[in-house]
Amino acid sequence: MTKSNLMNTYNRFDVEFVNGLGTKLYDTDGNEYLDFVSGVAVNCLGHSHPSITKTLFEQSKSLIHISNLYYNDKQNKLAEKLIDLSNHDKVFFCNSGTEAVEGAVKIARKYGKVKSGKDKNLIIHMKNSFHGRTMGALSITGQPKYQESFKPLISGTIEAQFNNINDIKEKINSNTCAVIIEPVQGEGGIIEASIDFLKELRNLCDEYDALLIFDEVQCGIGRLGTFYAYQKFGVIPDVICLAKGLGGGFPIGAVIANNKAAQVISHGDHGSTFGGNPLACAVSLTVINELISGGIISEIDKKAQYFKDKLEKLKEKHSYINEICGKGLFIGLRVNIDPKKIITKCFEKKFLVIGAGKDVLRLLPPLNVSYDDLDKCVSILDDVLSDFTE
Ligand SMILES: *Cc1c(COP(=O)(O)O)cnc(C)c1O
């Protein structure tokens, strides 16, 4: 395999994929894999969805890129759609999750400046969070293993305990410009924020005039059963970061903000050359249309319940599973053996899964996954866990 030319950023599996269809991937030898990684929660419609393929083809014939010096019809339509679906007012487009977080951080810093001069610049983030790999997002990623080699990080960041409102109360003050949180922590191990915690966090942010930012890069775009993750919790943030599922596999990210937050941004404050290009926006419009009008999101709760029931049965059978965690199709199995060992065995059985945190097996099927494929997943996990019994 052509390993030698790639920088050593990922510990890759020894497989080269050439083809995909729905939940299936095919390697160079034609072997079929069941894919419950979905490009890490990206391919929400599975591989080679015909509507995405068609949009890519059609849109590329009319317009791919023009820069943000001009308006383009697809960007305007996508912005309108995202705002219609939200409680918010403005959108900024970018190309990835980390870029969406950088955008949100800049909005927060400018908000603090505009509101009360130079000292209102502190950003509270959660322990165990993951917000991305660029220096700003890395600085608010509460996991030392990602940060250690790259210090000094940006200053003015404060770590607080997830789901611990007293810790936030101790750390928030009038110099706080924002609190950023994943409503369900992804990389950290599929850990849900409690509704009460988020509600109190909302109140604290209002009290200290700090922006509440939800990083929905992984848990948004239908994965929890609502289009935006915040809608599952009934707590409305000021700013939302989106990416991963937004383009169904085509790179696109977005920052959504209410007027209170967005109004501080003026010409030249921020930008992105590729952000919101017509091709990416056209694909995203197609994805959203499939997810909503295609009835995919409205079926998630039912599908998730079916899946969770099966997984609970699996838990009864295998003492290696401690807990089924997560919401919607954002599911984790908390296990008491090294998840890497399970992932390796799954790979040998041509089933792709991913870990999260130290002890979680993360299941991220496309949102249009069939009941049949959910059954297959459970049956393979049953086999794999049975192997450990010996
Ligand atoms: C993946 C992820 C990011 C980073 O997204 P990239 O597109 O890899 O830059 C940020 N936040 C969360 C919650 C994520 O899951």
Side-chain angles (χ1 to χ4, degrees), residues 16 19 37 50 59 96 103 137 147 266 293 297 337 343 378 383:
E16 189 178 61
N19 238 308
V37 175
Q59 182 61 38
S96 65
Q147 297 180 325
S266 35
S293 307
I297 290 181
I337 28 177
I343 293 165
V378 175
D383 280 356

Side-chain angles (χ1 to χ4, degrees), residues 124 126 161-170 172 176 179 181 193-212 214 233-238:
I124 296 178
M126 302 300 135
Q161 305 279 338
F162 192 76
N163 273 341
N164 181 343
I165 201 67
N166 289 329
D167 194 42
I168 311 275
K169 277 182 190 158
E170 266 171 38
I172 197 166
T176 308
V179 177
I181 184 167
S194 78
I195 291 180
D196 284 346
F197 175 70
L198 291 180
K199 279 188 178 155
E200 291 191 79
L201 196 54
R202 175 71 274 177
N203 291 339
L204 280 176
C205 285
D206 290 339
E207 188 180 333
Y208 290 97
D209 196 14
L211 297 177
L212 179 59
F214 277 9
F233 294 87
V235 174
I236 305 173
D238 299 297

Side-chain angles (χ1 to χ4, degrees), residues 96-99 101 130-132 182 187 215 217-218 243-244:
S96 65
T98 202
E99 240 186 302
V101 170
F130 183 87
H131 296 296
E182 297 154 87
E187 306 299 316
D215 180 346
V217 168
Q218 192 163 165
K244 290 200 168 96

Side-chain angles (χ1 to χ4, degrees), residues 82 91-96 100 240-243 246 252-256:
L82 289 170
V91 185
F92 169 78
F93 287 112
C94 52
N95 311 283
S96 65
I240 307 164
C241 304
L242 299 174
L246 184 59
I252 180 168
V255 184
I256 318 273

Side-chain angles (χ1 to χ4, degrees), residues 217-268:
V217 168
Q218 192 163 165
C219 62
I221 319 291
R223 195 144 285 274
L224 302 188
T226 50
F227 184 76
Y228 291 106
Y230 79 83
Q231 291 159 337
K232 200 80 194 175
F233 294 87
V235 174
I236 305 173
D238 299 297
V239 179
I240 307 164
C241 304
L242 299 174
K244 290 200 168 96
L246 184 59
F250 198 84
I252 180 168
V255 184
I256 318 273
N258 57 19
N259 275 331
K260 181 175 96 172
Q263 72 184 0
V264 302
I265 296 298
S266 35
H267 298 166

Side-chain angles (χ1 to χ4, degrees), residues 29-208:
D29 300 324
N31 294 307
E32 184 182 282
Y33 291 71
L34 177 61
D35 180 11
F36 269 46
V37 175
S38 302
V40 194
V42 166
N43 306 309
C44 52
L45 299 176
H47 299 285
S48 307
H49 192 283
S51 303
I52 295 184
T53 307
K54 182 163 176 272
T55 302
L56 279 167
F57 182 63
E58 295 297 333
Q59 182 61 38
S60 69
K61 284 193 293 186
S62 53
L63 205 55
I64 293 178
H65 175 85
I66 53 163
S67 91
N68 286 304
L69 298 172
Y70 317 98
Y71 291 105
N72 76 72
D73 61 334
K74 296 302 183 305
Q75 186 180 119
N76 286 340
K77 280 195 187 124
L78 180 59
E80 189 184 351
K81 188 80 201 163
L82 289 170
I83 292 308
D84 276 355
L85 291 167
S86 74
N87 298 71
H88 301 72
D89 306 293
K90 301 280 184 206
V91 185
F92 169 78
F93 287 112
C94 52
N95 311 283
S96 65
T98 202
E99 240 186 302
V101 170
E102 295 293 334
V105 164
K106 283 182 71 179
I107 291 171
R109 281 281 168 86
K110 180 105 192 256
Y111 184 81
K113 279 259 171 359
V114 168
K115 280 295 181 138
S116 66
K118 69 177 182 9
D119 290 333
K120 193 176 176 65
N121 55 32
L122 303 179
I123 300 173
I124 296 178
H125 69 272
M126 302 300 135
K127 190 176 163 64
N128 223 21
S129 60
F130 183 87
H131 296 296
R133 313 276 192 165
T134 51
M135 289 308 285
L138 184 65
S139 304
I140 49 173
T141 286
Q143 301 192 51
K145 67 173 176 184
Y146 294 119
Q147 297 180 325
E148 245 2 275
S149 310
F150 307 102
K151 291 185 170 173
L153 302 169
I154 70 164
S155 57
T157 66
I158 293 169
E159 186 171 293
Q161 305 279 338
F162 192 76
N163 273 341
N164 181 343
I165 201 67
N166 289 329
D167 194 42
I168 311 275
K169 277 182 190 158
E170 266 171 38
K171 289 167 179 169
I172 197 166
N173 59 44
S174 58
N175 286 337
T176 308
C177 65
V179 177
I180 183 164
I181 184 167
E182 297 154 87
V184 182
Q185 290 190 330
E187 306 299 316
I190 316 288
I191 304 167
E192 292 174 52
S194 78
I195 291 180
D196 284 346
F197 175 70
L198 291 180
K199 279 188 178 155
E200 291 191 79
L201 196 54
R202 175 71 274 177
N203 291 339
L204 280 176
C205 285
D206 290 339
E207 188 180 333
Y208 290 97

